[in-house]
Structure formats: structure tokens, C-alpha cells
Amino acid sequence: MLPDHDFPARLAAAEDWLDLAIGAQQEGDWILDDTERRVLADLVAATNPLHGGNLPPHTGESLYVRIGRITNWAGALRLAARAGGWELSPVTGRDPAALARPAGMADLLSGIYALAEQGEQWQELLLTTVRGLSRGQSLAEEIRARHPRLEKELAAAEAFFTGPGSLEDLPLFLY
């Protein structure tokens, strides 16, 4: 499996759509209802990164754990969308300013999903690499050979999902 080479576009989309949704909520264009508030609270609880307060990048931890944190967001976002009846849509490459309506929960979840889905691709790369390792081969070296930018991209994704001003603070952004 070849890595997704569109990480910068995914990260930009996640940031742009998150900013749009937060702005719509803070400006009063989107008023969260009780269901949306409960879904967001459950989403944050389900994706607790358990990083012990350490700031990203979490380089002292295994790739399994680091990628797993991001992959967990993808599954939790799909569940959140199903629970509220919202549909996740592709947002990478789409300008959120072109929306003809105020942003809402589907837009927020779709924006975050743009980057969370990347975690699933990284996880598949990791598992495929592990399965193909020969005795004595280094996983880290083989991953670097297959995807030289992974460490840098993973650190950027971790900063989006964990740490100050990240999705860990989502309840603070949406009141």
C-alpha cells in the first residue's frame, strides 16, 4: 500500500472546516442542540488520548499507539455521525467559505474526519509493513523507507488532535 501523499490538503481541510464550524457556533449562526452537545461530549470521552499530559509529538511512544490515537477518532466520528443522523462528506479540496448555509454538526464532523481517516491509512501501512518484515529488519527503518514523511505528518496530526488548542479542547470552543 502506498501512503496517501495528500496529507497537507487533509490537514488544511480539517483546520479550515473546524474553524468554520467553531466560527459559526461562536457567531450564533449555529446553536448546538442537546443532541449535538451530548454527541460532542461522548466523542471527546471516546477519544481520550491518554497521553499523560505530554505535549505532541509523542515520539517516546510506539507508532502503534500514536497512529492508534488518530485512528480511534475515525471510528468515533463515524459513530457520532450515525448517532445524530449526520452524513460525513468529503471536504478535502473544498472551500468551506463556499457553503451557502451556516456550518453545522455534519460540517464539523466531516472536517475532523478528513484528518482522522488518514490515521486509518497509516495504520494499514504499519500493519502491512509489519507483516512483510523479515527477521532482523527494523520496523522504523522500513516505515521510513516506505513513507519518509510519516514522522513529520504524524506529529502535525497529533498537534491537531491533542495538546493545547487542539480537539482535546473542543468543549471549550463550542459552548
Side-chain angles (χ1 to χ4, degrees):
M1 173 184 167
L2 293 175
D4 182 346
H5 295 292
D6 205 20
F7 177 81
R10 283 179 178 272
L11 179 59
E15 291 170 340
D16 290 348
W17 286 83
L18 175 65
D19 288 348
L20 176 78
I22 290 170
Q25 199 278 322
Q26 290 179 345
E27 292 169 14
D29 295 329
W30 170 32
I31 309 293
L32 275 75
D33 63 26
D34 288 339
T35 299
E36 291 168 329
R37 288 185 188 289
R38 285 192 310 269
V39 166
L40 284 176
D42 289 342
L43 182 59
V44 170
T47 55
N48 183 337
L50 302 173
H51 56 61
N54 297 319
L55 296 178
H58 303 290
T59 54
E61 298 173 348
S62 75
L63 281 177
Y64 292 105
V65 170
R66 295 175 70 196
I67 291 171
R69 280 189 187 111
I70 295 165
T71 301
N72 287 346
W73 273 93
L77 287 161
R78 287 190 295 267
L79 287 171
R82 278 187 214 118
W86 303 290
E87 187 172 328
L88 296 175
S89 0
V91 296
T92 303
R94 290 183 43 218
D95 182 3
L99 274 181
R101 56 172 172 70
M105 187 63 126
D107 304 305
L108 173 68
L109 298 178
S110 294
I112 299 167
Y113 189 70
L115 192 55
E117 189 176 36
Q118 179 70 62
E120 293 180 317
Q121 292 181 9
W122 288 333
Q123 186 174 51
E124 183 59 34
L125 171 67
L126 183 63
L127 296 174
T128 301
T129 303
V130 166
R131 285 190 293 267
L133 280 181
S134 300
R135 184 167 252 217
Q137 271 186 301
S138 161
L139 175 61
E141 289 174 15
E142 188 60 26
I143 289 285
R144 271 193 296 279
R146 291 181 183 211
H147 190 9
R149 294 177 316 283
L150 177 64
E151 191 64 40
K152 182 179 178 181
E153 292 174 359
L154 183 53
E158 286 173 327
F160 178 83
F161 287 105
T162 64
S166 71
L167 285 187
E168 274 188 288
D169 291 338
L170 195 57
L172 301 175
F173 298 135
L174 302 170
Y175 44 84

